[in-house]
Amino acid sequence: MNRLRWVGEGDIWELDKSTPVTLEATARAVSNDPLPLGLSRGTRLSRPKQAEFFHRFMATPLIPSFSPLAGGLSLQKVLTFPFPNNWFVSLLGQFDVQRFVSEVKKSEAFVRGSASRLSTLGKQLKDKSLYALGFCSELLLTPEDTLLLSYDTYKCDPNKNPRAKAVFNHKFPLHNLTAEAVWPGLYVDKEGEYWDVPFSMAIDLASLPAESGLSYHLCLHHNSGSPKKFSSVDAVEVPPPASLLPGLSLKSAFSYRANMDLWRGITPKLEACKPYDIFLSSPHVSVSGIIGSVMTAAFGENSIRTKLEKDSEGVGGFSLHLPSVNSGFMADALGRASLTAQYGNFQKLFFDLTRFHARLDFPHGLRFLTGATSVAQELLNSRQPSLEAFQKICPEVSVSLQQQIVGPFSLRAESGIQIDLKNEGNPVTIHNATFAIEYALQVLASAKAVAWYSPKQGEFMIELRFYET
């Protein structure tokens, strides 16, 4: 569910996922040990600002989205209020098209084909249950400080509680500070399941991203209340992820990144033609590697995961649980290796961009080291290593492929690859595939409108993104 947005990111920090299940259109990753970190989410345009851009500059008066959990097909429109330039205030409205069509079909007057069809449509359009409204205020307090407040209500679904959010951002010369409070907080796990936490609060300090070198994150996170599945219809109650249980956690992560170009094109660019995206205008083949460590101290019910998740595969690193004080400590190493290959300058009208990216994640460093040592010892002793040892060194794989079709339009696909050597019939499976059409906004140097579809979740969404590859 990375939505073709971050598979090429060189850093290891988990970012917010895009999703149409709520008006805010984002879900935070469920923190695991050690990955995903669930820490800094990066800068992005809020959903109301995206909608305003589509309305004003792309002749899109209504923005469609689709999600089974949100009732099906919906249309969004935003109204902005005339405030000073440093204050953006908006009202985002969402209309449930699928429910409207269903209600109209049920209407006897409409079915009989009588002259009252028009009045029937008007009556249905007045039904408040077809609408959801979201208020958003983004205030630039100083050049370094911003404050976002939002409040969403869902008349279309009486089972949905209002959602509120407050976010404060401060830019230091070399760091970003984020303080966030949400109620309820929307989270998504690795299986694509959404979870609501009644109240969630976090303070995050992150070093600025860099092409290479050291980076680090510190995060203090607090959950309150019992988490539950978002719009759950399962007959069997599924236990929530342990990290979402009530409690306080302090997480610190450090990583070192190195990059190397294997080849970089020297073909001169067309002087009379500006690239559709300046970040995609240089053909090259490059590799990068990241090593790091994560330490987590948990206090409360969320600390029990150090005991519950320590199975045959193990948490992977050092784990300590202290039931007497209801706390725990976890530490582990991690690594990542990636390859990016691009052909073309993204300047010509047809097929001037082919881009491939592959990423190998090793989220449990100690487990990988144990497995690699076991495999090496078995091979040195002329014995066949066990499947368990090989499984420990198997990475989590993500791949992405992008191909220009014509002009600023390109197709893109992203997928994860799971390796399960214990499954003899199908040891390699593809999961969380996502497909998209991207339209590069050439006048903005590096911006694009993206329409993506996720078959697994059955979700469709149109977004605006800046400075992303």
Side-chain angles (χ1 to χ4, degrees):
M1 292 218 315
N2 286 336
R3 308 310 187 204
L4 305 106
R5 186 174 183 181
W6 303 292
V7 71
E9 290 283 336
D11 220 337
I12 60 173
W13 320 122
E14 193 75 11
L15 303 178
D16 277 349
K17 305 296 190 291
S18 303
T19 174
V21 301
T22 63
L23 285 174
E24 187 197 4
T26 58
R28 192 174 182 180
V30 171
S31 176
N32 208 335
D33 300 310
L35 291 178
L37 297 171
L39 296 184
S40 186
R41 276 83 62 202
T43 58
R44 55 165 290 160
L45 281 182
S46 65
R47 188 59 179 171
K49 282 189 173 180
Q50 293 182 40
E52 184 200 26
F53 186 93
F54 281 117
H55 296 342
R56 294 181 59 185
F57 303 109
M58 298 192 70
T60 311
L62 297 172
I63 305 171
S65 65
F66 183 90
S67 172
L69 295 179
L73 179 64
S74 299
L75 296 175
Q76 290 184 341
K77 185 174 180 60
V78 70
L79 298 176
T80 57
F81 299 94
F83 281 88
N85 292 334
N86 66 330
W87 194 8
F88 177 81
V89 181
S90 65
L91 185 65
L92 180 65
Q94 179 171 284
F95 177 66
D96 192 334
V97 177
Q98 193 156 321
R99 184 171 180 177
F100 170 73
V101 173
S102 177
E103 293 297 327
V104 168
K105 288 182 178 179
K106 293 178 183 178
S107 173
E108 293 184 2
F110 192 87
V111 172
R112 288 197 305 265
S114 62
S116 61
R117 277 188 173 182
L118 190 60
S119 62
T120 301
L121 292 176
K123 181 180 179 181
Q124 292 296 334
L125 287 173
K126 294 179 182 179
D127 186 359
K128 295 181 180 180
S129 66
L130 298 175
Y131 300 91
L133 294 175
F135 172 80
C136 180
S137 168
E138 297 182 58
L139 179 61
L140 183 65
L141 302 173
T142 70
E144 295 80 24
D145 301 300
T146 59
L147 177 65
L148 181 146
L149 302 173
S150 67
Y151 183 81
D152 302 337
T153 61
Y154 299 86
K155 299 293 185 181
C156 56
D157 190 346
N159 296 322
K160 282 187 179 180
N161 295 321
R163 314 184 76 90
K165 184 175 186 178
V167 183
F168 172 78
N169 283 291
H170 177 77
K171 296 180 181 179
F172 291 101
L174 298 176
H175 300 80
N176 283 331
L177 175 67
T178 302
E180 175 186 272
V182 290
W183 54 99
L186 183 65
Y187 290 80
V188 58
D189 60 25
K190 285 188 175 182
E191 302 303 321
E193 298 289 345
Y194 295 101
W195 297 87
D196 265 338
V197 175
F199 178 78
S200 181
M201 182 173 61
I203 301 176
D204 177 81
L205 179 67
S207 60
L208 293 181
E211 288 295 323
S212 61
L214 180 68
S215 63
Y216 51 91
H217 285 237
L218 300 173
C219 183
L220 182 65
H221 189 199
H222 172 70
N223 287 334
S224 177
S226 300
K228 62 179 181 179
K229 260 192 173 183
F230 181 87
S231 299
S232 176
V233 294
D234 296 337
V236 180
E237 185 175 351
V238 180
S243 61
L244 298 184
L245 294 175
L248 180 72
S249 65
L250 175 63
K251 180 169 284 193
S252 62
F254 301 84
S255 72
Y256 183 85
R257 179 186 177 192
N259 297 321
M260 182 175 65
D261 283 341
L262 302 180
W263 170 80
R264 188 162 289 274
I266 58 175
T267 304
K269 300 177 182 178
L270 302 176
E271 296 183 359
C273 183
K274 181 181 177 181
Y276 293 106
D277 190 317
I278 60 172
F279 286 166
L280 299 175
S281 62
S282 178
H284 66 281
V285 178
S286 62
V287 294
S288 66
I290 295 176
I291 57 173
S293 63
V294 181
M295 293 174 287
T296 304
F299 308 90
E301 294 180 38
N302 58 347
S303 65
I304 199 67
R305 65 183 185 269
T306 59
K307 181 177 66 174
L308 292 179
E309 297 176 1
K310 196 169 183 180
D311 52 18
S312 59
E313 290 298 321
V315 172
F318 174 78
S319 175
L320 177 64
H321 182 238
L322 303 174
S324 58
V325 291
N326 201 18
S327 61
F329 177 80
M330 294 139 280
D332 201 356
L334 49 86
R336 167 174 293 177
S338 61
L339 167 70
T340 302
Q342 176 180 322
Y343 177 78
N345 299 104
F346 205 18
Q347 286 183 293
K348 299 177 182 178
L349 190 59
F350 298 102
F351 304 107
D352 193 30
L353 173 68
T354 302
R355 183 179 175 89
F356 172 79
H357 181 87
R359 191 183 74 200
L360 308 179
D361 283 322
F362 302 90
H364 302 291
L366 184 57
R367 186 170 65 187
F368 173 83
L369 181 61
T370 302
T373 302
S374 176
V375 170
Q377 289 177 344
E378 295 295 326
L379 292 177
L380 288 174
N381 293 329
S382 300
R383 292 196 298 263
Q384 177 69 31
S386 64
L387 286 179
E388 289 76 9
F390 275 120
Q391 185 66 50
K392 289 180 179 180
I393 63 176
C394 288
E396 297 178 359
V397 184
S398 299
V399 295
S400 174
L401 178 64
Q402 183 176 1
Q403 175 64 58
Q404 180 198 17
I405 302 303
V406 56
F409 290 94
S410 62
L411 297 178
R412 190 167 176 180
E414 173 188 313
S415 179
I417 299 176
Q418 288 184 334
I419 303 174
D420 185 3
L421 300 179
K422 297 179 181 179
N423 186 351
E424 297 181 0
N426 193 17
V428 179
T429 57
I430 295 176
H431 72 108
N432 289 342
T434 310
F435 305 94
I437 298 176
E438 297 188 356
Y439 176 78
L441 304 174
Q442 191 176 23
V443 296
L444 298 179
S446 182
K448 56 193 174 185
V450 182
W452 57 259
Y453 174 68
S454 172
K456 181 178 180 179
Q457 276 75 33
E459 295 178 350
F460 166 81
M461 190 174 177
I462 298 178
E463 290 187 89
L464 182 70
R465 298 173 183 168
F466 288 90
Y467 305 109
E468 298 173 3
T469 57

